[in-house]
Amino acid sequence: QPLNPCPLGERLCSAEEATAGSGTYTRHGFIFSSLAGWVEKKSEDGGLPVVSVVRDAESQLLPDVGAVVTCKVCSINSRFAKVHILYIGSVPLKSTFRGTIRREDIRATEKDKVEVYKSFRPGDIVLAKVISLGDAQSNYLLSTAENELGVVVARSEAGVQMVPISWCEMQCPQTHTKDFRKVARVQPQFLQT
């Protein structure tokens, strides 16, 4: 039987037709979902079917405080970089979450000297850590202040993947032009190809 998606608080059926299972509650003679997920109806022998709501294991994956995420820079200004979160650890996300890396969260030292455009450029792939769950626009606040965090993949003007040459510069192997970046000291387990 195909599972039907249901939002939180959805009225599922009359309490006379079924028993409330996990993820549901009964009110005024009806069964409602107490979480967003998928509706399951299991028939017990002879008794009423049990209605429960289960969370989809994949949809449940949300960036959490402290999680290391892989994201792509969409836009930058003098105060922050806007990113789209693509992976949590090594798990690709089904839906995109927006994140912000503020200027003061880019580096651990000399925060007042940091310049966003010398740290990230649109299109960069960045490893960052979730530091807060953000506001109603589901905008996560991210930090790249640790050595392992920062830009892991960047393309040069020529469209070639650049090579890190220091913790603050990358170089195009083709044109040898150098660009400033907040470079991640990459640990192999985080590399997303």
Side-chain angles (χ1 to χ4, degrees), residues 12-66:
L12 303 173
C13 62
S14 151
E16 288 161 11
E17 298 166 39
T19 310
S22 62
T24 68
Y25 62 92
T26 312
R27 186 175 291 161
H28 308 308
F30 289 98
I31 297 174
F32 294 86
S33 66
S34 61
L35 49 91
W38 303 87
V39 182
E40 261 185 357
K41 230 177 190 170
K42 288 203 178 102
S43 298
E44 306 292 317
D45 14 289
L48 288 173
V50 175
V51 175
S52 44
V53 177
V54 291
R55 275 216 170 106
D56 172 0
E58 287 160 330
S59 70
Q60 210 182 343
L61 195 64
L62 292 171
D64 213 346
V65 172

Side-chain angles (χ1 to χ4, degrees), residues 67-143:
V68 173
V69 296
T70 304
C71 44
K72 186 175 189 172
V73 179
C74 316
S75 65
I76 57 172
N77 65 25
S78 60
R79 297 190 321 281
F80 51 76
K82 290 265 183 219
V83 302
H84 279 152
I85 299 171
L86 311 172
Y87 287 82
I88 299 177
S90 57
V91 184
L93 292 173
K94 284 213 168 105
S95 51
T96 315
F97 294 95
R98 291 196 302 272
T100 302
I101 304 171
R102 297 175 305 187
R103 199 182 84 158
E104 59 268 31
D105 298 324
I106 292 176
R107 288 192 186 282
T109 54
E110 300 187 316
K111 296 181 182 198
D112 48 332
K113 293 192 183 141
V114 173
E115 292 180 75
V116 179
Y117 74 95
K118 284 188 175 177
S119 306
F120 310 115
R121 296 285 167 87
D124 286 358
I125 301 296
V126 172
L127 271 183
K129 192 172 259 187
V130 180
I131 52 173
S132 100
L133 298 184
D135 47 31
Q137 287 86 48
S138 70
N139 209 331
Y140 289 84
L141 278 183
L142 308 175
S143 160

Side-chain angles (χ1 to χ4, degrees), residues 68 127-129 143-151 182-185:
V68 173
L127 271 183
K129 192 172 259 187
S143 160
T144 54
E146 292 166 40
N147 290 340
E148 284 71 37
L149 306 175
V151 178
K182 193 303 181 179
V183 181
R185 186 176 74 201

